[in-house]
Amino acid sequence: MKKAKLPVEETVLFRPGGTDRSIAELAAATHRLTMRRIRDMLPGKISTKRLVLRAPMRGDVPDLVRLADNKAIAIKLARLPSPYTRADAVGFVEVFSQRADERPYAITLNDRFVGVIGFSYHEGKPPELGYWLGEPHWGQGIMTEAGRALIEAAHPTHQYDLIVARALADNAGSLNVLEKLGFKRKGKAKSEASANFGKPIVLLELQRPRWM
């Protein structure tokens, strides 16, 4: 009499690093969800006396290219491509602005795009304020007005108790805007951005008022 064959057990292959990779992927997904939640607490549109802050859209592309393709702006920023092309503008509108770790607003004046302001989110760090304004609109108080409106919209959510910002040490205009918004200088560092690598930068912070 033949013995019945026992079923062959399936061999489980061990993949080195598989568990660590899964944990890392889960942590990254959790971070994206957290950032998305904080990001989406902000209003879709913010209006001031002169300005409307809203999501970037395809109709902004011509003005975005015209204003952003300017070395006088690019040399002051960490992440603005130079030269700035139509492909860069489309990528900003359709990809960058949709990321969970970014919340950019188009700044519009009289229904025309004039610049960008928004927050970037980094794991374990406070939201970071960033912005740029088209050169024809400098010196008119536009960025201070936009920044104040965005911060006033963010603080009541209680997810922006501390906001950070940075600016090149020789960028007096940006430092002036941040200090008008209530930011305090907290230290200095060297830029790690390729466009300004090694240049001194000023680190600033803004605490949410206790009464808000």
Side-chain angles (χ1 to χ4, degrees):
M1 183 175 177
K2 293 182 179 180
K3 292 183 179 179
K5 290 185 178 180
L6 296 175
V8 178
E9 292 187 2
E10 216 174 285
T11 303
V12 178
L13 296 176
F14 175 72
R15 293 180 174 84
T19 301
D20 290 342
R21 185 165 56 249
S22 297
I23 292 172
E25 289 172 353
L26 178 60
T30 302
H31 170 64
R32 285 194 298 271
L33 287 172
T34 301
M35 294 302 97
R36 176 70 70 177
R37 180 176 62 83
I38 295 173
R39 176 191 193 275
D40 290 347
M41 284 183 175
L42 295 172
K45 182 184 288 187
I46 303 170
S47 299
T48 72
K49 185 176 180 179
R50 295 183 293 171
L51 310 172
V52 174
L53 312 184
R54 53 155 177 78
M57 59 186 186
R58 281 296 289 263
D60 296 327
V61 167
D63 285 330
L64 181 51
V65 175
R66 177 176 59 84
L67 296 174
D69 189 25
N70 182 343
K71 287 185 178 180
I73 295 175
I75 61 173
K76 300 179 185 298
L77 302 178
R79 299 189 293 177
L80 191 72
S82 182
Y84 195 92
T85 67
R86 186 177 186 280
D88 293 318
V90 172
F92 171 76
V93 171
E94 296 191 349
V95 180
F96 182 88
S97 66
Q98 305 302 318
R99 286 169 42 174
D101 58 351
E102 300 288 346
R103 181 53 149 144
Y105 286 84
I107 304 170
T108 64
L109 173 67
N110 299 323
D111 296 324
R112 292 292 301 270
F113 174 94
V114 297
V116 174
I117 189 169
F119 291 114
S120 296
Y121 307 96
H122 308 283
E123 188 172 5
K125 297 180 181 180
E128 182 172 353
L129 180 70
Y131 50 80
W132 66 265
L133 185 68
E135 189 172 4
H137 307 284
W138 292 0
Q140 300 172 37
I142 289 174
M143 192 52 73
T144 303
E145 185 174 334
R148 184 170 290 119
L150 179 56
I151 290 167
E152 288 177 354
H155 275 162
T157 70
H158 294 272
Q159 298 295 327
Y160 297 80
D161 291 346
L162 179 65
I163 300 171
V164 298
R166 66 184 68 196
L168 290 172
D170 61 0
N171 189 350
S174 187
L175 290 169
N176 185 46
V177 166
L178 290 168
E179 289 175 338
K180 282 183 178 179
L181 294 175
F183 280 82
K184 304 297 182 185
R185 301 188 187 208
K186 291 297 181 180
K188 295 180 179 180
K190 297 288 186 180
S191 175
E192 296 180 356
S194 57
N196 298 304
F197 188 80
K199 291 185 178 180
I201 57 174
V202 179
L203 307 176
L204 304 97
E205 292 182 354
L206 175 67
Q207 293 276 357
R208 179 178 62 85
R210 292 183 179 180
W211 53 266
M212 291 190 73

